[in-house]
């Protein structure tokens, strides 16, 4: 397995990379998040590009002498899925309403709520492009809601 993994990882290093720009690094629940994206490198090799907003719960616990982390995806919203080569080779703009009825980001010793933008670029006969960008979602700003 190790002999196969090294060439695979070397090939993956040659994949195009995704550049994301968001209007804020820490949006609150219920906020509008704007995302500008573009691919850098040989983007023409990607046949399908998918971008998703994902919320995941992570719980760590001890099992004997080992520490185990269980992960559960509780939110997965597909923001973009395209096979249009003109769109893949160009750049894009997305506006996403962050749901207000979910849990915000949370980080404790054994439990976490992790939000991220996940991108997958399918490349035929080559390792797929997979990228994850973490987001820190804040709780709803109740003061802003009550004054609106």
């Amino acid at each position: 397995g190790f002999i196969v993994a090294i060439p695979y990882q070397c090939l993956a290093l040659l994949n195009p990379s995704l550049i994301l720009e968001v209007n804020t690094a820490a949006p609150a629940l219920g906020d509008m998040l704007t995302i500008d994206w573009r691919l850098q490198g040989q983007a023409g090799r990607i046949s399908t590009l998918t971008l998703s907003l994902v919320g995941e719960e992570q719980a760590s616990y001890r099992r004997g002498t080992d520490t185990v982390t269980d992960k559960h995806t509780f939110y997965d919203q597909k923001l973009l899925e395209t096979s249009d080569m003109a769109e893949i080779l160009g750049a894009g703009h997305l506006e996403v309403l962050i749901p207000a009825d979910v849990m915000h980001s949370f980080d404790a010793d054994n439990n976490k709520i992790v939000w991220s933008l996940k991108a997958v670029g399918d490349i035929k006969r080559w390792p797929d492009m997979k990228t994850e960008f973490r987001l820190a979602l804040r709780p709803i700003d109740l003061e802003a809601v009550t004054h609106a």
Side-chain angles (χ1 to χ4, degrees), residues 1-55:
F2 186 68
I3 293 170
V4 173
I6 291 173
Y8 182 88
Q9 290 303 319
C10 290
L11 291 174
L13 290 173
L14 301 173
N15 279 346
S17 57
L18 181 67
I19 309 291
L20 288 182
E21 294 177 14
V22 294
N23 61 331
T24 177
L29 299 178
D31 282 356
M32 185 66 71
L33 181 67
T34 59
I35 304 166
D36 291 310
W37 63 269
R38 66 182 170 14
L39 287 165
Q40 185 174 309
Q42 297 179 356
R45 297 184 325 179
I46 294 177
S47 59
T48 303
L49 178 65
T50 305
L51 182 63
S52 302
L53 175 63
V54 178

Side-chain angles (χ1 to χ4, degrees), residues 3 10-11 14 25 58 65 69-70 78 86 89 95 97 104 107 110 113-115 127 132-133 140 144 148:
I3 293 170
C10 290
L11 291 174
L14 301 173
Q58 300 177 359
T65 58
T69 301
D70 284 337
K78 201 171 286 187
L89 292 173
E95 292 187 357
L97 181 63
H104 55 82
D107 191 355
N110 297 318
I113 300 293
V114 177
W115 286 90
E132 181 175 336
F133 301 91
I140 292 177

